[in-house]
DNA sequence: TATTGTTATACTCTATAACTATA
DNA sequence: TATAGTTATAGAGTATAACAATA
């Protein structure tokens, strides 16, 4: 992985943000590798867990990925019995995605992993500072149009 | 691009950090594409600008990339006359890397782009909040062992 | 005709291993 | 023998385009 960026950190936070974000993503990937999951797969479980009966097309939009990519992602998770595809009764073209009982178990493990991950990343901050950081990041995210669970590029669909 | 992650944002900042960091990196990449540069190339210019006569091997360590990858990166920049390779007189195996005059010009353009980029990302924050955010991120970065200009994986060399 | 999911294909990024030239 | 750089090769990840089933 290559760190992008400009000068060390003169006045700006954007470079530091990209650096830390990259590190956080990398560490999270390492952690979930223990459950044999990639970040993309974890994203699928998270989104399907939140929105049962999601179609592959809508999932692709929320992930910011192509529909063909979702096929492979769902194939793998279905093969491991973590989620199921069922044809919609209203429109037999669409596949409704749902977590299996195993899938829900894995999802709750992922939530615990995320908490531990968060403690690792923010461990240097006291509770008040963590709260401040979350508020500031939330403000930035809002201003950039981030909607939880929806890829920014598709937030208008 | 796929957003990794766990729950929306319950208590933790790590997911938001990864999300925003990814967005910031992506937007920076779009901006420098106007100069026909990739983030990796920008990183090379930045590091060689800071440490003239850097060897390709040391550059690879600082980037967190493989030496073979650096070959292609340097090839491209040398071909565009943004940096030069000269064999070291002390050890004729090593190539000393330096920015050309054009390379330094491009580097200063990159610095301006980084400032604009930063304003875009942090535009929703007032000056005091931006200062707070930078301090908090700096604290997190320090606790994780980040050294400016050196990839974390290689900070001990 | 338009849309969902699928397959085939190709492209980009990147690392590992073998090679060369120096030391 | 060991090291700096290079080349050859292969793998991962991903998108685009063509296709089949359904609307």
């Amino acid at each position: 992985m290559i760190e992008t960026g400009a000068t060390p950190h003169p006045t700006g936070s954007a470079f530091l943000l990209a650096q830390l974000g990259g590190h956080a993503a990398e560490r999270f990937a390492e952690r979930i590798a223990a459950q044999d999951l990639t970040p993309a797969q974890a994203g699928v479980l998270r989104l399907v867990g939140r929105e049962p009966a999601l179609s592959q097309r809508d999932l692709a939009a929320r992930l910011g990925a192509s529909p063909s990519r979702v096929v492979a992602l769902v194939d793998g998770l279905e093969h491991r019995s973590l989620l199921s595809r069922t044809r919609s009764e209203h429109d037999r073209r669409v596949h409704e995605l749902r977590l299996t009982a195993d899938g829900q178990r894995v999802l709750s493990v992922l939530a615990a992993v995320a908490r531990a991950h968060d403690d690792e990343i923010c461990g240097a901050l006291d509770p008040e500072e963590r709260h401040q950081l979350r508020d500031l990041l939330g403000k930035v995210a809002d201003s950039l149009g981030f909607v939880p669970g929806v890829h920014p590029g598709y937030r208008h669909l």
Side-chain angles (χ1 to χ4, degrees), chain A:
Chain A
M1 200 250 277
I2 288 189
E3 308 294 334
T4 87
T7 44
H9 21 123
T11 49
S13 302
F15 179 53
L16 208 42
L17 202 58
Q19 213 173 240
L20 288 174
H23 173 83
E26 202 176 301
R27 278 293 294 134
F28 185 71
E30 285 174 16
R31 281 178 180 273
I32 64 176
Q35 339 291 318
D36 250 306
L37 290 174
T38 64
Q41 291 174 318
V44 170
L45 294 178
R46 181 172 59 94
L47 290 170
V48 173
R50 171 183 306 163
E51 260 184 89
L54 198 62
S55 73
Q56 293 187 193
R57 199 162 195 82
D58 288 345
L59 176 57
R62 280 162 183 66
L63 287 171
S66 68
S68 67
R69 173 139 172 59
V70 167
V71 172
L73 243 22
V74 168
D75 277 353
L77 294 171
E78 186 183 38
H79 191 255
R80 285 165 64 182
S81 303
L82 297 181
L83 58 71
S84 64
R85 275 192 255 234
T86 55
R87 299 203 93 94
S88 163
E89 293 185 356
H90 307 298
D91 183 339
R92 298 189 45 71
R93 290 171 304 181
V94 333
H95 284 168
E96 299 178 348
L97 304 175
R98 287 185 188 78
L99 296 189
T100 63
D102 275 358
Q104 293 190 345
R105 269 188 286 278
V106 170
L107 185 57
S108 67
V109 170
L110 284 181
V113 170
R115 280 191 295 276
H117 173 60
D118 209 88
D119 285 341
E120 174 184 321
I121 301 295
C122 300
L125 305 180
D126 63 39
E128 194 195 324
E129 288 173 324
R130 281 172 78 150
H131 186 82
Q132 276 182 358
L133 177 58
R134 201 193 45 196
D135 280 358
L136 291 169
L137 293 179
K139 205 164 181 172
V140 171
D142 286 347
S143 79
L144 296 172
F146 281 63
V147 176
V150 179
H151 184 89
Y154 291 85
R155 81 184 71 108
H156 299 303
L157 303 186

